[in-house]
Amino acid sequence: MTAVPFGSQPSKIKKNIRHPKIMIKKFMLTALRVKYQLLFIVNIEYTLKALFKLFTTPKFQKVRKREEALLEQVNFKLTVDGITSTYYKESSNNGPYVLLLHGWEGNAGNMEAFVQPLVEKGYKVVIPNAPAHYTSSGEQCTLREYQKIVTAYIEKFNVKIVISHSFGSAAGLLAVQQLKREQIHKMVLISSPDKMIIIVSKFTDLLNLSSVQKSAFINYVEDQLNLPFDNAVLSKILSQLEIETLIVHDKYDRIAPVDNAHKLVESYEGNRLLFTENQGHYRILWDYDMIETVISFLSDEVKNENTSLEEVHA
């Protein structure tokens, strides 16, 4: 299995553990742990509900300078089951629509770097804000709610290609699985997790929940989403869909470790793999060499002998 490196080895940065901001975060985390342990003693059902709200409530993230131009053009709205999603659209071309999906606590501006290269190749583009993200409505965002929004966009714009980042990949794959396979021609998954249960486990571990409490919360989440975590495995969904997919991942991604990429690419023989180096989980979205390769993949230019992609067989 061969991949393409960009950049250099990441440098090791020493953190000052006594920095005021770090100490405040540690204090707040300790307070949360104590709070939920006390709540479990008083009322288990109430505690599970409170934990679910915490788990599904995105924190507001400061808009980066390079995201502002696109976000200023988010002038459209799509409402599904009472949730209003705001979105950006570029529809001046005659080509098919490409749907771009941001990740957890992101916004449509995260995907700005893809817009011009796609438009130059003749594609139309639509980029929604997930529920409870940026100017979309709601306070919470569940995987099922994001999936419903994605399904609506695919149907409304007759989307043929999906490019997704992180949590957006889970919502995108579940939506495509729900629709007819022939609807989507190609997919690109960037910095994507494989098993959703790992995300829940990290959350429960962060709060130091006991094994019994952790099990109870996992069962509660499955019930709320009406989605067994055995069915929320992206590699499993990819193997069923058999859609040609490009998996893009940074070797040193700390949020979604690189082993996720291996599991995803091995799920179907038509999948392809592209590695970057030292681009991290978010900065990778602004790697223009990577974007150029993605555009080539979408444009069927990957068959060129000079391409930087390699087909990987499971």
Side-chain angles (χ1 to χ4, degrees), residues 127-146:
I127 316 176
N129 287 302
H133 287 72
Y134 196 56
T135 51
S136 290
S137 69
E139 296 180 359
Q140 296 171 253
C141 176
T142 68
L143 180 56
R144 282 300 200 191
E145 287 170 337
Y146 199 1

Side-chain angles (χ1 to χ4, degrees), residues 179-243:
L179 299 168
K180 291 182 178 179
R181 174 191 173 280
E182 293 76 14
Q183 171 79 38
I184 302 300
H185 295 168
K186 288 187 177 183
M187 299 186 71
V188 179
L189 309 184
I190 305 170
S191 306
S192 302
D194 180 30
K195 297 180 178 180
M196 293 298 100
I197 194 170
I198 292 179
I199 297 174
V200 181
S201 295
K202 286 183 177 179
F203 173 77
T204 58
D205 291 344
L206 185 66
L207 292 176
N208 279 352
L209 299 190
S210 69
S211 58
V212 174
Q213 294 167 341
K214 178 177 179 178
S215 179
F217 182 66
I218 289 173
N219 291 335
Y220 185 87
V221 174
E222 287 183 321
D223 290 342
Q224 292 299 307
L225 299 182
N226 190 24
L227 177 67
F229 280 115
D230 286 345
N231 296 336
V233 180
L234 272 58
S235 56
K236 182 178 179 180
I237 297 173
L238 277 176
S239 68
Q240 296 168 349
L241 291 174
E242 296 186 345
I243 296 174

Side-chain angles (χ1 to χ4, degrees), residues 48-56 140 142 217 220-221 224:
L48 293 173
K49 184 178 180 180
L51 282 171
F52 184 73
K53 182 177 181 180
L54 178 65
F55 180 65
T56 58
Q140 296 171 253
T142 68
F217 182 66
Y220 185 87
V221 174
Q224 292 299 307

Side-chain angles (χ1 to χ4, degrees), residues 29-286:
L29 178 58
T30 300
L32 275 177
R33 289 169 174 171
V34 173
K35 171 186 174 180
Y36 287 107
Q37 288 303 323
L38 292 173
L39 284 175
F40 264 114
I41 296 173
V42 176
N43 189 319
I44 294 177
E45 189 65 26
Y46 174 84
T47 306
L48 293 173
K49 184 178 180 180
L51 282 171
F52 184 73
K53 182 177 181 180
L54 178 65
F55 180 65
T56 58
T57 301
K59 293 183 294 184
F60 175 78
Q61 299 294 326
K62 183 178 179 181
V63 173
R64 299 169 176 86
K65 190 72 176 178
R66 55 191 175 188
E67 299 167 349
E68 291 177 354
L70 184 142
L71 291 174
E72 288 173 358
Q73 301 176 65
V74 174
N75 301 318
F76 304 94
K77 296 179 180 180
L78 178 64
T79 301
V80 181
D81 292 344
I83 299 173
T84 299
S85 168
T86 56
Y87 66 94
Y88 166 89
K89 180 179 70 171
E90 170 53 65
S91 56
S92 58
N93 291 324
N94 295 321
Y97 266 105
V98 178
L99 176 65
L100 295 121
L101 304 172
H102 68 76
W104 182 252
E105 295 180 346
N107 59 63
N110 293 171
M111 312 302 285
E112 191 275 338
F114 287 89
V115 174
Q116 191 59 36
L118 286 168
V119 170
E120 288 177 356
K121 285 294 183 179
Y123 294 106
K124 294 191 284 283
V125 174
V126 59
I127 316 176
N129 287 302
H133 287 72
Y134 196 56
T135 51
S136 290
S137 69
E139 296 180 359
Q140 296 171 253
C141 176
T142 68
L143 180 56
R144 282 300 200 191
E145 287 170 337
Y146 199 1
Q147 174 195 345
K148 286 181 182 179
I149 290 293
V150 174
T151 300
Y153 278 100
I154 291 175
E155 293 180 327
K156 177 179 175 65
F157 294 100
N158 193 25
V159 169
K160 298 301 181 185
I161 296 168
V162 177
I163 300 175
S164 55
H165 178 240
S166 195
F167 181 63
S169 295
L173 278 173
L174 285 171
V176 174
Q177 183 184 44
Q178 178 185 335
L179 299 168
K180 291 182 178 179
R181 174 191 173 280
E182 293 76 14
Q183 171 79 38
I184 302 300
H185 295 168
K186 288 187 177 183
M187 299 186 71
V188 179
L189 309 184
I190 305 170
S191 306
S192 302
D194 180 30
K195 297 180 178 180
M196 293 298 100
I197 194 170
I198 292 179
I199 297 174
V200 181
S201 295
K202 286 183 177 179
F203 173 77
T204 58
D205 291 344
L206 185 66
L207 292 176
N208 279 352
L209 299 190
S210 69
S211 58
V212 174
Q213 294 167 341
K214 178 177 179 178
S215 179
F217 182 66
I218 289 173
N219 291 335
Y220 185 87
V221 174
E222 287 183 321
D223 290 342
Q224 292 299 307
L225 299 182
N226 190 24
L227 177 67
F229 280 115
D230 286 345
N231 296 336
V233 180
L234 272 58
S235 56
K236 182 178 179 180
I237 297 173
L238 277 176
S239 68
Q240 296 168 349
L241 291 174
E242 296 186 345
I243 296 174
E244 189 176 1
T245 303
L246 173 61
I247 311 299
V248 181
H249 219 97
D250 191 80
K251 287 184 177 181
Y252 305 100
D253 190 325
R254 295 181 180 180
I255 296 175
V258 72
D259 63 308
N260 288 278
H262 291 297
K263 292 173 182 176
L264 292 170
V265 78
E266 291 167 359
S267 63
Y268 172 57
E269 65 180 4
N271 292 343
R272 298 167 184 265
L273 176 65
L274 177 67
F275 278 146
T276 65
E277 288 189 11
N278 203 24
Q279 297 299 319
H281 190 73
Y282 167 79
R283 195 168 59 251
I284 191 173
L285 294 173
W286 302 84

